[in-house]
Every structure is written in structure tokens, then in C-alpha cells.
């Protein structure tokens, strides 16, 4: 049977990989793959708004009124409505063009920003999706490498509150790509 869980230990903290629907997994903070308009959409963004309810969009309306757009590489926080979480971290991933137009930097920044925000909020557990790998077309293996590296480095830097980050991934292909990326960085964090 396909293995659907994997974890690595980084100091006293854990980075986990699992398959599943992120809206069904409890965590203090849940990451979303949003867009710069913060108006919702398809994919994981659609699933989060559907499961969380309208309060999330109402909070995003207020944020939009204050800051306008949220650029790629950045993230904003709302409450989580009916999701099994306290906060949603709405990260805006880059649309993939050719890999040389700032996409790796923006994707790396998404994950670091999510973990910084989560830690500032006091979250201990965080779930994250594979940002930019759906509608935004980021090649899976490259996206996985960026995601896992940024997250592992953030955990290694010793956040005050965050003890566990779990990537909740839709489908075996994504899980396999993230597992390969995680195996590749294990030696660096021993
Ligand atoms: N749980 C976990 N992962 C999911 C779920 C779920 N419920 N649903 C989808 N995925 P995408 P992007 C995976 O397209 O590429 C939206 O319209 C999916 O299989 O959601 O960053 C936004 O509003 C893929 O691996 O996000 C933006 O306009 C990953 O989540 C745009 O899409 C990301 O796919 C953002 O595109």
C-alpha cells in the first residue's frame, strides 16, 4: 500500500508530510494558496472558503480595504471560521512562468512568511498546502524543494511557538514529490 505519511525531526520540532484535504485537518493555523486580490477562487482557496464560511471573506474585505492587493510572496491572516483551526494564513504564491522570473524567491518567501506569522500569533501547529502547484502551474519537484527547504530552515531557526508543520497534500504525486524533497534535505538537519 502507498505510504501516506512521512516526517523529519528538526531539533525539537517536526516537519510532517501527509496526503489529504487540508480543510479536514486540525491545526492552530492553516495555510491557504490565495491570489493577490484575496477574493477567493478555486483549488484549495475555494475549499477553505467553502468549509470555513463567510466570515473569512468578510475579514479579507477589511484587509483589502486597508492594503489593497497582497503581492506574491506575501501573506495575510484571518480567523478560520468553521475550519478546525484558529487562523488562516492566506499566502499568495507566484504564477509560474520560466523559473527565472522571481518565482523561487516568491515561493520561498510565502512559506517563510506563513511561519513567521504563525509564530507571532502563538500557533504551535501549522498545516500548509503545496502553494502554486495547481492553477499557478509551478513544476511539482521544484516547488516541493522550495517548500520543504524554506519550512525546514524556518523550523531550524527556532521559532518560539511553532513545534510542528504538516504539509497536507492532495494526491500521491504531490506527496511523492514532497517526500523526495524532504529525503534530500534530511542530512542537512541531522
Ligand atoms: N487540501 C489540500 N490541498 C489541496 C486542496 C485541499 N482541499 N485542494 C486543492 N489542493 P491551487 P495555486 C492542492 O490551484 O496553484 C485559486 O483559484 C492542489 O492539488 O489551489 O497556488 C486561488 O484563488 C495543488 O497541489 O493553488 C488562486 O487564484 C495545491 O493545492 C490560484 O488558485 C495548490 O493548488 C492559486 O493557485
Amino acid at each position: 500500500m502507498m505510504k501516506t505519511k512521512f516526517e523529519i525531526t528538526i531539533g525539537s520540532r517536526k516537519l510532517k508530510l501527509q496526503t489529504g484535504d487540508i480543510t479536514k485537518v486540525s491545526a492552530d493555523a492553516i495555510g491557504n494558496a490565495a491570489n493577490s486580490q484575496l477574493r477567493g477562487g478555486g483549488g484549495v482557496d475555494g475549499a477553505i472558503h467553502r468549509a470555513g464560511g463567510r466570515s473569512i471573506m468578510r475579514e479579507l474585505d477589511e484587509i483589502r480595504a486597508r492594503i489593497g492587493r497582497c503581492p506574491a510572496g506575501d501573506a495575510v491572516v484571518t480567523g478560520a471560521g468553521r475550519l478546525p483551526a484558529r487562523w488562516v494564513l492566506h499566502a499568495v504564491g507566484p504564477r509560474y512562468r520560466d523559473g527565472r522570473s522571481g518565482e523561487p524567491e516568491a515561493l520561498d518567501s510565502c512559506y517563510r512568511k506563513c511561519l513567521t506569522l504563525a509564530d507571532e500569533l502563538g500557533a504551535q501547529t501549522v498545516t500548509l498546502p503545496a502553494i502554486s502547484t495547481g492553477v499557478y502551474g509551478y513544476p511539482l519537484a521544484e516547488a516541493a524543494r522550495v517548500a520543504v527547504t524554506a519550512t525546514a530552515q524556518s523550523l531550524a531557526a527556532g521559532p518560539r511557538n511553532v513545534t510542528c508543520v504538516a504539509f497536507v497534500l492532495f494526491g500521491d504525486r504531490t506527496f511523492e514529490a514532497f517526500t523526495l524533497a524532504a529525503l534530500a534535505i534530511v542530512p542537512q538537519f541531522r
Side-chain angles (χ1 to χ4, degrees), residues 32-116:
N32 182 18
N35 54 58
S36 289
Q37 290 72 41
L38 303 171
R39 289 188 194 277
V44 70
D45 199 7
I48 281 178
H49 282 280
R50 270 196 305 282
R54 296 167 61 104
S55 65
I56 297 176
M57 189 54 78
R58 278 199 296 270
E59 287 186 49
L60 287 174
D61 290 342
E62 286 169 24
I63 291 170
R64 216 179 304 112
R66 215 167 53 237
I67 69 165
R69 312 167 68 250
C70 178
D74 207 351
V76 301
V77 181
T78 66
R82 293 192 301 267
L83 287 165
R86 288 180 66 184
W87 302 286
V88 180
L89 313 164
H90 303 266
V92 180
R95 279 173 201 274
Y96 192 83
R97 283 174 57 194
D98 54 10
R100 284 171 286 149
S101 306
E103 302 95 324
E105 293 78 11
L107 189 60
D108 175 273
S109 164
C110 277
Y111 288 110
R112 290 180 197 271
K113 187 72 198 268
C114 281
L115 290 212
T116 302

Side-chain angles (χ1 to χ4, degrees), residues 20-22 33-35 40-45 47 130-136 168 170:
D21 175 349
I22 201 167
N35 54 58
V44 70
D45 199 7
I131 299 168
S132 286
T133 65
V135 175
Y136 281 0
V168 182
F170 233 32

Side-chain angles (χ1 to χ4, degrees), residues 160-175:
R160 229 177 244 271
N161 298 301
V162 177
T163 57
C164 176
V165 177
F167 282 95
V168 182
L169 306 164
F170 233 32
D172 294 345
R173 267 188 69 236
T174 308
F175 179 76

Side-chain angles (χ1 to χ4, degrees), residues 5 16 18 28 49 71 93 99 110 129 134 140 152 155 171 174 185 189:
K5 285 199 172 172
K16 299 185 180 181
Q18 62 187 82
D28 295 326
H49 282 280
C110 277
L140 206 43
L155 287 173
T174 308
I185 62 160
F189 295 98

